Amino acid sequence: MSETQPVPEGEVVDSTTMRRVMGHFASGVTIVTALASEGPVGFTCQSFSSLSLDPPLVVFAPARSSRSWPRLRELGRFCVNVLAEEQTELSDGFASSGVDKFAGVSWRPSRLGQPVLADVVAWVDCELWAEYDGGDHTVVTARVLDLGADEGRRPLLFHRGAYRLLESPQG
């Protein structure tokens, strides 16, 4: 078993090592969507978590280079869609720039009008609460307005630089 040596005090952790080591933490994959006047917009986001129960808040972190996040920020309301294990192509499509990300994608409006993608594990309808500097990302906190889940679906995971699936339950 190999271990990474600690970084000597005063030195900076390089981004390659940071990405490799932090990649050992498995995360779910989400697509954040909103309905703009010109139609639906969205982007893939792997940094997402529940933050608070009272008030109900979630947190996610779009890259500062995102061209979609400024459009969603301006709208102030959006939906976080938690992807299911068979939705890797959807994740890849929404991670692309300069394409119609919703072409051929099935969705329905939430009660509040935001795009809920078909066959997702869960969805969380939100409004912008606050933003914070997160280095090369923006840390976004959002108040949860509505949410739902499909208990029969399993999540898409990202681990060590690749999509992963949960092991089948033993039974």
Side-chain angles (χ1 to χ4, degrees), residues 18-35:
M18 176 82 167
R19 180 183 301 257
R20 183 176 49 77
V21 172
M22 295 309 295
H24 286 76
F25 178 72
S27 67
V29 183
T30 68
I31 294 176
V32 183
T33 60
L35 191 57

Side-chain angles (χ1 to χ4, degrees), residues 106-129:
S106 296
W107 62 276
R108 65 170 177 81
S110 69
R111 267 189 330 110
L112 302 172
Q114 303 311 318
V116 175
L117 303 176
D119 302 323
V120 294
V121 170
W123 55 270
V124 184
D125 223 343
C126 308
E127 68 181 351
L128 181 60
W129 178 272

